[in-house]
Amino acid sequence: MNYTVKQIAEITNAKIIGDENLLIRNIAFDSRIIYSTKNTAFIAINTHKNSGEKFIESAVDRGIDVIISEHQYPGFEHITWIIVDNSVDFLQKLAQYHFENSHLKSIGITGSNGKTILKEWLYQCLWNEFPTVKSPKSFNSQIGLPLSLLQINNSYELGIFEVGISKPHEMEKLERIFHPQIGLLTHIGNAHAANFQSEEELIDEKIKLFKASEVIIYNGDNSLVSKKIHELYSTKKLISYGLKKDNQVFIKEDVSKDENITVVYIDEEISFPVHQRDEATLTNALALITVLKELKIDNLKIIEKINSLKAVEMRLEAIEGVKNNIVINDSFNLDLDSLKTALQFLNEYNKPKKSLVLTDIVGVNSNSKELYEEVSELVNDQNFDFVFLIGDEISKFSELFKAKTSTFVSTQELIDSKRLTEIENQIILLKGARKFEIEKLKDILELRKHDTVLEINLNAILHNINYHKSLLKPGTKMMAMVKANAYGLGSYEISEFLQHHHIDYLGVAYADEGVELRKKGITTPIVVMNPEQHSYEAIIEYNLEPEIYSFRVLELFYEAVQKSGYDKKYPIHIKLETGMHRLGFKDFELDELSETLSHKNVKVQSLFSHLSSSDVPEEKEFTYKQLEVFEKNSSYLIEKLGYTPIRHILNSSGITSYTDHQYDMVRIGIGMLGESPNSEIQKQLQSVVSFKTVISQISIVSSGESVGYSRKYKPDHATKIATIPVGYADGIPRLIGNQVGNVGVHKILAPIVGNICMDMMMINVDQIPNVKEGDTVTVFNAKPSLKEFAGYCKTITYEVLTSISPRVKRIYIKD
Ligand SMILES: *Cc1c(COP(=O)(O)O)cnc(C)c1O
């Protein structure tokens, strides 16, 4: 969106106190996650449970200068207020106006199950066909939907929004603000949700979303749904899909393993690869195909797109367990339908013996005796060996279950009983309502496959970014450098997380790093620092923005742009040389540069340079000289260009040491990973990376014996030596063997003894009390810290991180 305060007030009949000419592009509703305050208004949302007004102060502290609220509060100077009668009505009114004036093609998804998966799949399939906007995660409520709609701007052509309701009459309100052209109705469960009298009432309410739709694509397996849609919407284009063969879109062959499935789409047949064959996945795939066909995507492309879909937080997760068990973790939600899906999923596995952990079903409005009778019938069909029931409700009906059944009041009680450790060679289904947190059981049952892991704490990255942000002015943008696989930590995982937290730009070294991110669905602007000639086409095709550092690159890249038929101004970033002597335009080239640029259909998105020594206190004078050259040369170019690109020069230690020179953007790298050369700053940052392994074996080596290749370590008394499974092939430099480096065991440093082997090394654990095989060893994190470890290696933290071998499993931690 893009409105002045005045326009917003006119659209919504609100009152303004303050500057009516301010421009608003974003509305934030949670003061803890305001990422950028520029052109952002904070809305204090009042619901019957909560008042957002108590967060106004913290929003203002963060730099917000426009507040939307039902009341004005004294004491906030220079703040512009938009005073509204009702905060939720306001949002809905604004969203309605915004949507109706957007000229967007829109898809609205509703139903009981599968909405989020379908939205994410559609997005993955369509974002590179049309610029596409979608609702974030599960933003589908009375507040979430309007906020999602407000993300629409002129650059989008397609919008995919999820619409969820939980009470009667909610859809009417939502349909008033959002009337999709294409309506998609996913599966509607038989177990009617709480708050509804009957299944019919629920269907009636949901299909109100399609009042103004041109096309309705619906799951026709539920005959009541079919009947209702035909009664109400017979004049619209209707397409039914589903597993029953009387739908217009269905699966022709019976599902058999290892082969494609043939889908009948109205009057044609198409073969598709499908890797997962549970009913829910197949049904969702049919819906996806139907929407793609409706959008005129050709069959070959559809097949290709389906092939490259990535799992969207698969609700059902199969994990290799201890004692040769397989664990199916489905602790996301629990109702009769999802229980059926999960039970069916079990049959995909070839294990004769099965056990089940099942909790109370919560939030369903029906007679519990009937409900649990139905549950027990489903469960009894499966011949489970053990059934573990958790919760007061379900426990009352334990005698309905035929298996060896035990009851527990809580998940913890089941853990404490140690009953799960009896299970061997089985498939174990964990099926529970959220509040029972049965995912805790997963930790106990899961086989630890990787002893050596690099653990990356995403929350710590966010903390570190916010710390650096707190030093900057509210409007300063931030680019995160994710080059070299995000300093070795995993480019996609880190970028996805940063995109979720609204980072302004990403920076990569090579085009292929950017292409990989785009292919996986990253839409944040990406700058390529080293655009190689052979990659120009890929850069253009994937909407990446090159760093232009010489006339040669400028000419060749521009040639590629023209050849590609790109007809708008291509965004580029001009690198100025200010003293690093790596890449960039020099003083004497500026006139020719501005002259050349003026003849080309490009847009200089930014002017930037790089500091060679922002982390070296002794080079302050030199750094100030670099900053001076940058100021002078960039100002000169801006004058010549006749417009003002954003400017940036600070890297992480630049942000902390030369904050005054932040210009419009900064580029953070090592700082977000929790490292600073300045010990005071270091204290404020959180450690992100932890390289861990476990002790494989402990031996006592006597005097006269030796350890490792070439007998480099010969203890002079009987010494406890532990072997750990990391070596130089994992990225530990061989030069830190022979007591140069240490690792941490029980928070005590243990010296590396003897030569480091390819996949293992030995450490002296003589001084460590109670040490035993299987204990965790910290290669670096706290003791030793990453910095200390880099010290052993006689290098910098950057090189340590980027040297860790890809075979070390990366694990991401997030609350
Ligand atoms: C890598 C890089 C950065 C980030 O540097 P840090 O020291 O990790 O903050 C910034 N700018 C450019 C051009 C870079 O290549």
Side-chain angles (χ1 to χ4, degrees):
M1 63 182 244
N2 196 352
Y3 297 108
T4 60
V5 166
K6 180 163 180 226
Q7 286 170 315
I8 290 180
E10 277 169 8
I11 295 166
T12 60
N13 276 325
K15 199 172 100 195
I16 307 169
I17 302 165
D19 184 351
E20 61 177 31
N21 294 317
L22 293 176
L23 198 62
I24 304 295
R25 289 167 185 274
N26 304 300
I27 293 185
F29 72 103
D30 184 336
S31 60
R32 291 163 305 177
I33 49 176
I34 295 174
Y35 189 75
S36 164
T37 53
K38 197 163 177 204
N39 303 124
T40 300
F42 174 77
I43 182 165
I45 295 182
N46 289 337
T47 62
H48 61 280
K49 276 193 223 138
N50 228 322
S51 166
E53 293 177 12
K54 51 181 187 273
F55 302 110
I56 291 177
E57 188 170 349
S58 80
V60 172
D61 284 347
R62 295 209 159 206
I64 290 279
D65 50 14
V66 180
I67 300 287
I68 303 165
S69 164
E70 291 168 18
H71 309 98
Q72 184 192 6
Y73 289 81
F76 296 100
E77 279 165 46
H78 318 298
I79 292 297
T80 294
W81 295 82
I82 301 178
I83 302 295
V84 301
D85 287 340
N86 176 303
S87 53
V88 177
D89 289 350
F90 161 87
L91 260 188
Q92 298 192 343
K93 227 184 258 170
L94 184 63
Q96 175 182 357
Y97 176 90
H98 187 61
F99 173 71
E100 287 175 353
N101 289 281
S102 71
H103 315 292
L104 192 75
K105 192 166 188 80
S106 54
I107 304 176
I109 310 177
T110 192
S112 312
N113 302 64
K115 292 190 291 288
T116 305
I117 289 201
L118 268 168
K119 180 194 67 191
E120 295 295 327
W121 277 1
L122 280 167
Y123 180 75
Q124 284 179 41
C125 291
L126 290 167
W127 72 268
N128 57 1
E129 301 291 326
F130 316 95
T132 302
V133 55
K134 63 165 172 127
S135 28
K137 277 264 153 56
S138 302
F139 253 41
N140 59 15
S141 60
Q142 300 286 327
I143 295 162
L145 180 69
L147 287 169
S148 302
L149 293 172
L150 290 173
Q151 299 176 107
I152 299 170
N153 65 39
N154 287 336
S155 66
Y156 295 118
E157 290 170 19
L158 178 71
I160 310 175
F161 299 98
E162 192 182 329
V163 187
I165 54 164
S166 54
K167 289 204 276 300
H169 309 300
E170 282 186 329
M171 193 59 95
E172 267 159 48
K173 279 198 210 157
L174 294 177
E175 198 277 338
R176 211 172 303 140
I177 58 176
F178 173 55
H179 1 282
Q181 283 152 4
I182 300 181
L184 174 57
L185 181 66
T186 66
H187 178 80
I188 289 199
N190 302 97
H192 51 86
N195 304 326
F196 285 90
Q197 297 297 325
S198 66
E199 185 185 356
E200 186 169 358
E201 190 192 25
L202 177 69
I203 295 172
D204 283 342
E205 185 67 28
K206 294 220 163 168
I207 66 177
K208 282 184 189 153
L209 177 64
F210 310 133
K211 238 192 239 169
S213 300
E214 291 156 20
V215 188
I216 304 174
I217 295 168
Y218 66 97
N219 183 329
D221 285 342
N222 181 329
S223 52
L224 191 55
V225 168
S226 264
K227 179 169 160 268
K228 288 273 169 190
I229 289 203
H230 279 274
E231 273 172 17
L232 206 59
Y233 296 128
S234 59
T235 57
K236 298 183 191 290
K237 177 170 176 187
L238 304 177
I239 311 174
S240 67
Y241 68 89
L243 299 176
K244 294 192 183 152
K245 309 243 186 282
D246 57 357
N247 288 297
Q248 286 155 284
V249 183
F250 61 94
I251 295 165
K252 188 184 167 205
E253 308 298 332
D254 279 323
V255 179
S256 60
K257 299 253 173 198
D258 316 316
E259 265 175 48
N260 282 2
I261 57 167
T262 301
V263 170
V264 177
Y265 177 83
I266 307 182
D267 50 10
E268 60 178 314
E269 293 188 1
I270 321 163
S271 245
F272 288 99
V274 173
H275 306 297
Q276 239 168 324
R277 288 160 187 273
D278 58 286
E279 284 185 3
T281 305
L282 290 174
T283 312
N284 288 335
L286 288 172
L288 177 69
I289 291 163
T290 311
V291 178
L292 296 179
K293 289 290 283 183
E294 182 58 28
L295 292 172
K296 308 267 182 297
I297 310 287
D298 70 48
N299 292 355
L300 278 178
K301 262 196 179 166
I302 297 182
I303 294 171
E304 191 186 305
K305 284 173 188 297
I306 289 190
N307 250 329
S308 61
L309 281 183
K310 67 181 166 82
V312 185
E313 281 184 16
M314 266 303 298
R315 212 162 46 80
L316 290 162
E317 176 190 26
I319 306 155
E320 222 174 299
V322 291
K323 303 196 174 173
N324 202 28
N325 295 314
I326 294 174
V327 183
I328 308 289
N329 176 29
D330 186 2
S331 42
F332 189 72
N333 73 342
L334 173 58
D335 56 31
L336 271 182
D337 279 296
S338 72
L339 178 62
K340 278 183 208 161
T341 308
L343 293 175
Q344 197 182 13
F345 193 74
L346 286 188
N347 296 327
E348 304 260 308
Y349 287 84
N350 211 354
K351 287 258 183 195
K353 288 187 144 199
K354 302 180 248 187
S355 288
L356 170 70
V357 177
L358 186 66
T359 71
D360 282 354
I361 296 183
V362 287
V364 175
N365 192 7
S366 77
N367 177 315
S368 60
K369 181 149 181 292
E370 270 169 36
L371 176 68
Y372 289 106
E373 270 170 5
E374 202 171 343
V375 168
S376 66
E377 274 167 34
L378 287 171
V379 170
N380 290 341
D381 275 350
Q382 296 283 330
N383 291 316
F384 281 107
D385 218 40
F386 296 110
V387 169
F388 303 98
L389 303 174
I390 304 179
D392 294 337
E393 271 295 298
I394 198 166
S395 295
K396 287 188 211 148
F397 300 96
S398 65
E399 74 284 359
L400 295 173
F401 295 84
K402 285 196 303 205
K404 289 169 220 155
T405 303
S406 348
T407 60
F408 303 88
V409 290
S410 65
T411 301
Q412 193 57 44
E413 196 189 51
L414 172 58
I415 294 173
D416 295 342
S417 76
K418 301 223 178 345
R419 292 285 311 281
L420 293 171
T421 56
E422 296 166 18
I423 304 175
E424 258 178 40
N425 214 358
Q426 295 199 8
I427 183 158
I428 308 170
L429 173 63
L430 308 180
K431 186 78 188 109
R434 272 261 173 96
K435 70 167 200 192
F436 288 95
E437 298 183 330
I438 59 170
E439 63 275 6
K440 282 188 194 152
L441 301 175
K442 185 182 111 175
D443 299 338
I444 300 171
L445 294 167
E446 186 172 9
L447 183 69
R448 276 206 0 218
K449 258 212 305 245
H450 298 278
D451 286 341
T452 304
V453 295
L454 196 66
E455 237 175 50
I456 295 133
N457 184 336
L458 296 172
N459 301 318
I461 293 184
L462 187 60
H463 167 89
N464 297 333
I465 286 197
N466 284 337
Y467 172 73
H468 285 86
K469 272 252 148 183
S470 73
L471 305 176
L472 300 170
K473 292 186 201 130
T476 305
K477 290 180 192 298
M478 189 174 264
M479 178 187 301
M481 300 307 294
V482 292
K483 61 194 183 206
N485 194 26
Y487 293 30
L489 303 186
S491 161
Y492 170 67
E493 288 79 3
I494 306 280
S495 301
E496 151 87 58
F497 179 76
L498 294 172
Q499 169 167 298
H500 181 75
H501 290 283
H502 308 291
I503 198 85
D504 299 288
Y505 262 99
L506 295 167
V508 298
Y510 295 100
D512 54 358
E513 298 178 322
V515 170
E516 185 201 328
L517 292 178
R518 285 281 185 261
K519 281 190 171 158
K520 291 181 170 167
I522 300 293
T523 53
T524 303
I526 299 176
V527 178
V528 179
M529 299 288 162
N530 271 305
E532 299 166 296
Q533 196 179 338
H534 68 82
S535 69
Y536 294 164
E537 278 170 29
I539 289 184
I540 298 161
E541 183 185 348
Y542 287 93
N543 195 9
L544 307 173
E545 304 177 9
E547 161 179 332
I548 302 290
Y549 55 82
S550 71
F551 289 112
R552 181 182 63 84
V553 176
L554 180 56
E555 293 300 338
L556 289 171
F557 182 74
Y558 191 58
E559 224 169 80
V561 171
Q562 284 175 310
K563 245 192 233 153
S564 76
Y566 190 93
D567 58 357
K568 288 179 238 145
K569 287 184 178 291
Y570 203 91
I572 60 170
H573 298 261
I574 297 287
K575 177 74 162 287
L576 301 177
E577 159 55 33
T578 55
M580 172 101 173
H581 292 107
R582 194 164 65 174
L583 298 173
F585 288 98
K586 304 172 180 70
D587 314 35
F588 63 85
E589 294 175 313
L590 298 181
D591 284 324
E592 189 185 342
L593 177 59
S594 64
E595 177 65 20
T596 313
L597 287 169
S598 70
H599 299 308
K600 295 197 182 335
N601 198 21
V602 291
K603 174 166 187 232
V604 180
Q605 202 79 296
S606 83
L607 294 172
F608 75 109
S609 188
H610 192 46
L611 297 176
S612 72
S613 312
S614 62
D615 54 348
V616 188
E618 299 76 45
E619 294 294 354
K620 269 209 148 57
E621 203 178 320
F622 177 81
T623 304
Y624 279 118
K625 210 169 270 149
Q626 264 197 290
L627 291 164
E628 205 175 291
V629 174
F630 180 64
E631 169 60 32
K632 185 164 133 264
N633 291 359
S634 60
S635 302
Y636 185 75
L637 256 184
I638 287 174
E639 200 186 301
K640 290 268 175 178
L641 281 174
Y643 59 96
T644 313
I646 61 175
R647 289 191 277 184
H648 45 110
I649 189 167
L650 302 183
N651 62 346
S652 304
S653 43
I655 298 172
T656 53
S657 304
Y658 301 91
T659 319
D660 288 348
H661 300 265
Q662 58 192 269
Y663 289 97
D664 313 297
M665 181 155 81
V666 297
R667 301 185 306 268
I668 194 167
I670 200 83
M672 72 180 168
L673 307 183
E675 292 299 318
S676 168
N678 176 319
S679 59
E680 282 311 304
I681 306 282
Q682 183 67 61
K683 282 186 207 150
Q684 306 294 322
L685 300 177
Q686 290 178 2
S687 150
V688 168
V689 193
S690 162
F691 190 173
K692 290 189 204 164
T693 187
V694 296
I695 294 178
S696 313
Q697 193 173 23
I698 294 180
S699 326
I700 305 294
V701 180
S702 320
S703 136
E705 297 180 317
S706 61
V707 173
Y709 283 122
S710 312
R711 308 195 62 201
K712 288 290 183 190
Y713 182 63
K714 297 176 179 164
D716 57 9
H717 63 280
T719 303
K720 217 187 277 177
I721 300 292
T723 303
I724 60 176
V726 286
Y728 57 78
D730 296 291
I732 312 278
R734 193 166 169 279
L735 65 81
I736 70 164
N738 296 312
Q739 299 166 79
V740 174
N742 302 285
V743 296
V745 183
H746 300 189
K747 303 206 171 91
I748 301 170
L749 289 181
I752 303 169
V753 291
N755 281 330
I756 292 180
C757 315
M758 189 183 290
D759 310 306
M760 281 177 266
M761 60 197 201
M762 277 65 88
I763 57 178
N764 182 339
V765 289
D766 221 28
Q767 303 306 316
I768 297 164
N770 304 323
V771 63
K772 57 185 189 312
E773 293 177 358
D775 282 358
T776 299
V777 176
T778 305
V779 178
F780 59 75
N781 170 253
K783 203 168 176 76
S785 69
L786 171 55
K787 211 179 255 114
E788 283 162 339
F789 189 83
Y792 307 147
C793 306
K794 304 220 164 21
T795 184
I796 51 176
T797 52
Y798 301 74
E799 190 183 345
V800 170
L801 292 176
T802 53
S803 303
I804 297 165
S805 155
R807 83 172 184 191
V808 176
K809 169 101 175 143
R810 270 72 172 163
I811 291 179
Y812 302 89
I813 302 175
K814 183 164 68 163
D815 294 341

